[in-house]
């Protein structure tokens, strides 16, 4: 006796096969070329690498090291480092920013 097989015959389509004759359908229209979309939307695009490292120093204070590498900046640099501290409590938010490359310190 031959054992029964569960495999479909070659004339029957497999239930796991994907039909290729059905056109793709989407309810979302094509927005057009990327260049056109970029003019319409304000997108933050980096051509490099950005890292922010944060350390909570107390319940009210945080220290942040911020690195940007390879990103073209408006002043012509392609790398930057900032050291930022923030102190927040019920009275408000205080922030300082140190940029060694431009030798500047800012605060609010």
């Amino acid at each position: 006796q031959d054992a029964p097989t569960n495999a479909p015959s070659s004339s029957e389509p497999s239930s796991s096969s994907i039909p290729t004759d059905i056109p793709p359908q989407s309810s979302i229209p094509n927005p057009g070329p990327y260049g056109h979309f970029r003019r319409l939307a304000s997108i933050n695009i980096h051509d490099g690498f950005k890292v922010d490292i944060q350390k909570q120093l107390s319940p009210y204070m945080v220290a942040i090291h911020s690195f940007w590498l390879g990103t073209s900046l408006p002043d012509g640099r392609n790398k930057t480092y900032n050291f930022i501290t923030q102190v927040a409590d019920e009275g408000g938010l205080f922030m300082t920013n140190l940029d060694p490359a431009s030798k500047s310190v800012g605060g609010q």
Side-chain angles (χ1 to χ4, degrees):
Q1 283 183 340
D2 292 334
T5 61
N6 292 334
S9 67
S10 61
S11 63
E12 295 177 14
S14 170
S15 62
S16 65
S17 66
I18 299 172
T20 58
D21 58 343
I22 299 175
Q25 296 179 0
S26 174
S27 61
I28 301 171
N30 184 342
Y34 174 73
H36 177 68
F37 176 74
R38 188 171 175 197
R39 285 188 302 245
L40 296 176
S42 175
I43 301 174
N44 221 2
I45 297 176
H46 300 283
D47 58 350
F49 177 87
K50 180 180 180 184
V51 175
D52 289 331
I53 302 170
Q54 300 183 38
K55 174 68 175 170
Q56 189 78 33
L57 301 175
S58 76
Y60 301 105
M61 185 174 182
V62 65
I64 304 167
H65 298 273
S66 180
F67 301 90
W68 286 44
L69 302 172
T71 300
S72 299
L73 299 172
D75 61 1
R77 293 185 292 168
N78 66 353
K79 62 185 176 222
T80 186
Y81 165 77
N82 288 323
F83 176 71
I84 303 162
T85 57
Q86 296 176 349
V87 177
D89 62 6
E90 293 80 18
L93 171 71
F94 305 98
M95 184 175 107
T96 61
N97 185 353
L98 170 67
D99 185 356
S102 64
K103 298 178 182 169
S104 66
V105 177
Q108 296 181 349

